[in-house]
Each structure stands twice: as C-alpha cells, then as structure tokens.
Amino acid sequence: MILRTAALNVYALLVAASAPFTVGSAIAESEVTRGPPRVPSEIIIYIHPEVTDRDFVGPLVCELEKVLVAPVSAKDLPLLLGSGLKATQTQLDATQVADRFRQATMAEGDSSAFKHFIMAQDITVRPYNYLFASTFGIDGETSQLQIISTARIASRYSKPPTAAQIALTTQRLYKIIIRSIVQSTGNASLSGCVMSFANSIVEHDRKWSDFCSPDRAHLVHQGVLREREIDGCQAVAQGKSRGLVSFSRLE
C-alpha cells in the first residue's frame, strides 16, 4: 500500500546551486488540504539511531506536553533506510520514507495517533531541492505522519553541543512539529504566530513559539491544546527495552 500524498504539507527550503530539481522561488510550501477536524489521541515521536545528538529529545517532549492535551512519548525506531529510498545520491525520498514509516508503526497507537519520525539523513520530494520536514495524512483519510530531517536544522557547532545549541534545535523542532499537529487537526487555515510559514531558517528562528490568542482559544475549545499550560514535566522510565521515553505531567 502506497501512502497518499495529495495532502502533503511541505516545509521546504530550496537551494539553487547545481540542483537537479526545478528551482522556482527561494522558499516553497505546497498547498495544504483542509482536512476534517480531529483530535490526536497521542503524539509519538520516533528517533532514528543515526540521530546521535539526542539532548533535545527530553526538552522537546516536555515542551509539547506543556501545551497539548494528548500524551507525548518518544522512542527509538531502527527503520532501515537503504539505497532503494534514494531520491538523489545524497538524499532520501520523503514520500518513500513515510510509506516505510507507516508500515513499520501500523501496530502502534490507534488511528488517531499522530506520529513523527526524526531522522538524520537529508530528505526531499520533487520539485524541491531539500526539505526540513514533510507531513502526510492531513486529509484525514490516513494516520497523520511527519518525516523530519535534522540535516539542516540541528544546531551543531561543538561536540558535545552547548545548552544554547540544544535549546535552538529543540525550539526549531517544536515549531515544526506543533505546526504539523495543528494543521492535521483540520486547522490548516491558521497562519499566524507559531503557525506562520517562515521563508528561511532565520525567519523560522524569529517567529513566535506561541499561538495567537484567537487560535489558541479555538484549539482549546477543540480539545487540542490545554486550557492552562503546565509548568514542567518529569521523565518517567517506561519500556526501556523498546527505547520508550514518556513524561509525567507536573500540575
């Protein structure tokens, strides 16, 4: 079964230098289908083993837990990413990765679970030169899946990364994931504050991490966001054999 891509939401940055794909503007995002309203039963973040700098995982889950009603967890997923998934010599095809991701996680979570796969390798789909992330299933006919590459968004200036670099990577991933989640709940028309589309990584870093007040009120009423953000969360060891990490809420 091939994953439908009609409702593909692309968070893409195009590169003009010696690219094999058509280059239109500097930044491109395909039209997002307005899917039916739905609320996630849980958010599962899968981490590929090649993502070796993982200090962002705990803070990322915590930040999502602060605002979302649905529980959030993170776990390892040793998904085989072979040459058969290549779009170019150095990039994987996000659509093919998403289909393999869907098949590998079909037994986990119910049909309302939103699943996000963070991987280290660069990704793309035609006609884009590369993508930060790509969301599938916004039309509501399939489970919501998001493929995220850290190749161009992870802040890597030292090893091990500094606290500031970890915070920057966490913030970038949070904005990408929260926007995908909200769009997949039937709210693709929201476009302000954290839901705004950034024309560059600089704009992405500058845009708000918060929701605009009317949008937040709507999402609280819909049951997507919590009415009151929690102050923090605490890691709880669960399912260590599966690499699962979940967080309990401190309220």
Side-chain angles (χ1 to χ4, degrees):
M1 177 180 178
I2 302 300
L3 191 69
R4 283 178 57 113
T5 59
L8 170 66
N9 169 39
V10 178
Y11 198 91
L13 178 62
L14 303 182
V15 181
S18 61
F21 301 147
T22 302
V23 176
S25 58
I27 300 294
E29 184 175 33
S30 62
E31 183 179 357
V32 177
T33 304
R34 295 189 179 186
R38 55 177 175 167
V39 176
S41 58
E42 63 177 317
I43 309 297
I44 310 175
I45 300 173
Y46 297 83
I47 315 293
H48 192 265
E50 291 182 4
V51 179
T52 54
D53 293 331
R54 298 186 169 204
D55 292 327
F56 66 83
V57 176
L60 174 62
V61 172
C62 190
E63 288 302 312
L64 291 168
E65 280 272 13
K66 287 181 181 180
V67 299
L68 293 170
V69 172
V72 183
S73 62
K75 63 179 299 183
D76 289 325
L77 181 65
L79 191 65
L80 181 62
L81 302 175
S83 59
L85 303 180
K86 279 190 173 183
T88 71
Q89 288 299 312
T90 59
Q91 298 169 302
L92 298 184
D93 185 299
T95 304
Q96 293 190 53
V97 174
D99 190 54
R100 183 164 294 185
F101 175 46
R102 178 192 63 78
Q103 294 179 50
T105 60
M106 284 182 64
E108 300 181 13
D110 58 27
S111 60
S112 296
F114 286 14
K115 302 174 182 179
H116 306 259
F117 182 45
I118 299 177
M119 53 185 287
Q121 290 181 260
D122 207 9
I123 58 174
T124 188
V125 293
R126 293 184 181 276
Y128 307 106
N129 286 354
Y130 68 81
L131 309 178
F132 293 148
S134 185
T135 297
F136 302 79
I138 292 179
D139 55 10
E141 296 184 16
T142 58
S143 297
Q144 186 268 13
L145 305 175
Q146 186 183 36
I147 308 300
I148 307 167
S149 169
T150 62
R152 302 173 188 267
I153 61 175
S155 178
R156 302 187 186 95
Y157 300 104
S158 65
K159 206 157 186 73
T162 65
Q165 290 159 12
I166 294 168
L168 180 57
T169 299
T170 301
Q171 184 184 63
R172 287 173 174 173
L173 289 168
Y174 170 83
K175 291 176 182 178
I176 289 172
I177 291 175
I178 201 71
R179 188 170 187 266
S180 170
I181 291 171
V182 171
Q183 288 185 325
S184 300
T185 61
N187 293 287
S189 62
L190 301 184
S191 59
C193 304
V194 73
M195 294 301 297
S196 65
F197 175 71
N199 287 316
S200 68
I201 193 66
V202 174
E203 288 189 12
H204 183 70
D205 288 341
R206 287 177 178 172
K207 79 172 184 176
W208 289 8
S209 298
D210 299 326
F211 288 91
C212 295
S213 295
D215 295 348
R216 189 178 192 287
H218 167 72
L219 293 167
V220 168
H221 179 74
Q222 188 178 342
V224 177
L225 297 184
R226 298 167 60 82
E227 183 173 3
R228 180 178 61 87
E229 291 186 13
I230 59 176
D231 294 331
C233 53
Q234 178 179 346
V236 177
Q238 293 183 1
K240 287 185 178 180
S241 62
R242 294 184 297 150
L244 178 65
V245 178
S246 65
F247 287 74
S248 64
R249 294 166 174 167
L250 301 180
E251 305 189 50

